């Protein structure tokens, strides 16, 4: 079964500091994609960043980067220079050949940025 | 923003009554999904559709049915609502490209309370 694990229910970070949100995944398929989404208190789901299993480099999108360690099956999200607006729930998700167009989500991490 | 709307946005109903939630897209995307979001569970797939009249079950499909008679509309029906179906329901769409890099785009969500 596909599984995404986010072990940090809640995290705190000081404004302007960097923070890492953990995500581990379980799949036997060699080809897959990993995604991170942000859900602010207003409720919408916002796509942040994508990492493919065959990508040689870690994905980056502005202040977001994905620390991809394939052998450890981890895909941690790193947010640099945290801002108050980064306070939100963050979800890791996976999609692979066997699931086709289905996505599997983790339980999320609540991030609070402290001024 | 992807053109996805959900209706109603909020609904209170009583146990045993039928409820239909509507997802409408203007993007002509092939795939449409219904998720429920509950604390501690993240997003869980209920049903999805890969074309008009083509649907399949997700992880938590019991008690739910879906229909897709037009590309733009995907309906989720609770035939006889139960309190365990109190949740936030999200619709999502994706174009259906080959490979893993395509993300899903989410609607604003529907808050359903079953008394």
């Amino acid at each position: 079964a596909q599984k995404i694990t986010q072990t940090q229910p809640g995290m705190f970070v000081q404004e302007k500091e960097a923070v890492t949100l953990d995500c581990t995944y379980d799949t036997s398929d060699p080809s897959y994609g990993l995604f991170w989404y942000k859900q602010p208190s207003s409720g919408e789901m916002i796509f942040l960043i994508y990492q493919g299993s065959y990508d040689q480099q870690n994905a980056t999108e502005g202040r977001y980067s994905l620390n991809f360690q394939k052998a450890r099956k981890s895909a941690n999200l790193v947010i640099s220079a945290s801002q108050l607006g980064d306070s939100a729930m963050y979800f890791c998700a996976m999609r692979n050949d066997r699931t086709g167009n289905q996505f599997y989500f983790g339980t999320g991490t609540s991030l609070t940025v402290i001024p | 923003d992807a053109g996805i709307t959900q209706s109603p946005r909020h609904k209170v109903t009583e146990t045993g009554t039928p409820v239909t939630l509507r997802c409408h897209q203007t993007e002509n995307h092939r795939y449409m999904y219904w998720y429920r979001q509950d604390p501690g569970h993240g997003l869980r797939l209920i049903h999805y559709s890969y074309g008009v009249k083509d649907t399949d079950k997700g992880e938590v499909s019991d008690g739910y049915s879906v229909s897709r008679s037009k590309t733009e509309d995907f309906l989720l029906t609770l035939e006889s609502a139960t309190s365990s179906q109190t949740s936030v329901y999200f619709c999502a769409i994706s174009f259906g490209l080959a490979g893993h890099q395509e993300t899903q785009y989410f609607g604003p969500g529907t808050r359903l309370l079953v008394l």
Side-chain angles (χ1 to χ4, degrees):
Chain A
Q2 318 301 312
K3 189 172 181 180
I4 298 288
T5 303
Q6 295 180 253
T7 58
Q8 306 154 313
M11 290 280 287
F12 292 87
V13 63
Q14 203 73 37
E15 193 178 8
K16 300 181 184 177
E17 297 294 313
V19 63
T20 298
L21 306 184
D22 294 342
C23 173
T24 59
Y25 58 92
D26 183 20
T27 181
S28 56
D29 292 305
S31 180
Y32 50 89
L34 297 157
F35 301 79
W36 278 91
Y37 295 87
K38 173 184 178 180
Q39 186 179 40
S41 58
S42 52
E44 71 269 31
M45 293 286 288
I46 303 166
F47 165 68
L48 295 177
I49 195 167
Y50 160 84
Q51 178 82 45
S53 60
Y54 292 123
D55 292 343
Q56 295 298 309
Q57 294 186 328
N58 288 341
T60 60
E61 288 288 346
R63 293 187 298 110
Y64 304 109
S65 60
L66 202 152
N67 183 3
F68 181 46
Q69 298 186 47
K70 194 169 182 177
R72 297 180 59 186
K73 294 188 175 179
S74 73
N76 298 339
L77 177 70
V78 180
I79 305 174
S80 62
S82 296
Q83 302 172 356
L84 296 179
D86 293 334
S87 294
M89 283 289 291
Y90 289 82
F91 292 95
C92 180
M94 179 176 67
R95 176 186 173 196
N96 61 26
D97 283 335
R98 193 162 69 82
T99 65
N101 278 282
Q102 291 189 54
F103 286 65
Y104 287 83
F105 285 81
T107 54
T109 295
S110 176
L111 177 66
T112 302
V113 180
I114 304 167
Chain B
D1 290 342
I4 312 168
T5 57
Q6 293 183 231
S7 58
R9 293 292 313 280
H10 303 271
K11 186 169 182 68
V12 181
T13 191
E14 294 186 347
T15 299
T17 61
V19 176
T20 295
L21 308 182
R22 179 183 184 234
C23 177
H24 179 78
Q25 60 143 331
T26 58
E27 306 296 319
N28 200 33
H29 279 35
R30 179 183 174 195
Y31 283 79
M32 299 185 75
Y33 310 78
W34 277 108
Y35 292 91
R36 60 178 290 173
Q37 183 179 20
D38 305 289
H41 291 278
L43 277 81
R44 292 180 292 174
L45 182 66
I46 305 171
H47 283 278
Y48 69 102
S49 169
Y50 47 96
V52 172
K53 297 191 177 169
D54 292 323
T55 64
D56 205 350
K57 295 180 179 180
E59 181 184 2
V60 290
S61 59
D62 287 348
Y64 301 95
S65 62
V66 290
S67 66
R68 192 170 178 197
S69 59
K70 298 185 289 185
T71 298
E72 57 266 34
D73 290 325
F74 192 33
L75 304 181
L76 177 71
T77 298
L78 291 65
E79 299 290 348
S80 178
T82 67
S83 58
S84 65
Q85 293 175 312
T86 291
S87 188
V88 179
Y89 291 86
F90 283 96
C91 175
I93 65 174
S94 66
F95 192 76
L97 297 173
H100 308 302
Q101 68 269 30
E102 186 194 17
T103 187
Q104 293 181 327
Y105 297 95
F106 287 84
T110 294
R111 291 187 176 274
L112 176 67
L113 174 60
V114 183
L115 300 175

